[in-house]
Amino acid sequence: MDLMDLLLVLAAVCAVAAVVVARASRSRGEAWPVPEPTVDAETRQTVSELVGRGRKIEAIKALRSSTGLGLREAKERIDAWDPHASGPDPVPSPQGSGAQGPAPADLQALATQTREVRHTSGEVSAVKHVRERTGWGLVDAKRYVDQLS
């Protein structure tokens, strides 16, 4: 091995190390919990009736059309749905009770910043902004940007 081969190997190792460091710096700790989609009273009643009658597929369709949940998330919620529960949420949050969300002030700041980015740079940049700040996936970040008025 001559000096040129050694330098080539050293350059390759440095490039790999740079990629690893760049990816590690992108992850900024734990991601914020994804906001739960809200289920309005009419949908809650419809879904509870459908689940109570054993019509789970129709209940999944109703829940998905109302909340924008994906098929898997809607099915999991319907499987855990209690048609006789009273109150605003007949199914427990999939994140569990231990999930700590951001402070309300952080959410307000995120919303303000996201609206500004969307106004100045467009929707794609706004979604990227939300993903970088929260650690959410693409679908959740897009859903969040879409719900901002």
Side-chain angles (χ1 to χ4, degrees):
M1 233 177 158
D2 63 351
L3 184 59
M4 193 61 158
D5 291 337
L6 186 60
L7 288 175
L8 189 59
V9 170
L10 184 60
V13 169
C14 288
V16 169
V19 169
V20 169
V21 168
R23 285 193 179 194
S25 68
R26 283 182 120 185
S27 57
R28 303 170 187 245
E30 283 190 37
W32 288 2
V34 176
E36 283 295 307
T38 56
V39 180
D40 60 69
E42 181 180 340
T43 302
R44 196 170 22 260
Q45 180 180 357
T46 301
V47 169
S48 290
E49 289 173 6
L50 290 169
V51 169
R53 291 186 287 177
R55 300 174 77 177
K56 286 188 172 186
I57 292 175
E58 291 176 46
I60 291 168
K61 287 180 182 178
L63 186 62
R64 288 187 70 201
S65 67
S66 172
T67 62
L69 285 171
L71 180 59
R72 175 186 236 165
E73 293 90 354
K75 182 187 179 309
E76 289 171 356
R77 290 188 71 143
I78 293 301
D79 287 344
W81 196 279
D82 180 4
H84 307 295
S86 60
D89 195 6
V91 66
S93 168
Q95 296 173 1
S97 59
Q100 290 292 325
D106 292 339
L107 283 176
Q108 185 62 35
L110 177 66
T112 302
Q113 293 168 356
T114 303
R115 285 185 189 102
E116 184 177 318
V117 169
R118 184 176 58 190
H119 178 71
T120 58
S121 303
E123 187 171 335
V124 173
S125 295
V127 171
K128 183 178 179 184
H129 172 79
V130 170
R131 291 187 73 195
E132 289 172 351
R133 298 299 181 276
T134 63
W136 295 341
L138 179 61
V139 172
D140 295 318
K142 171 84 167 84
R143 190 178 296 146
Y144 178 79
V145 169
D146 287 346
Q147 81 176 0
L148 292 176
S149 51

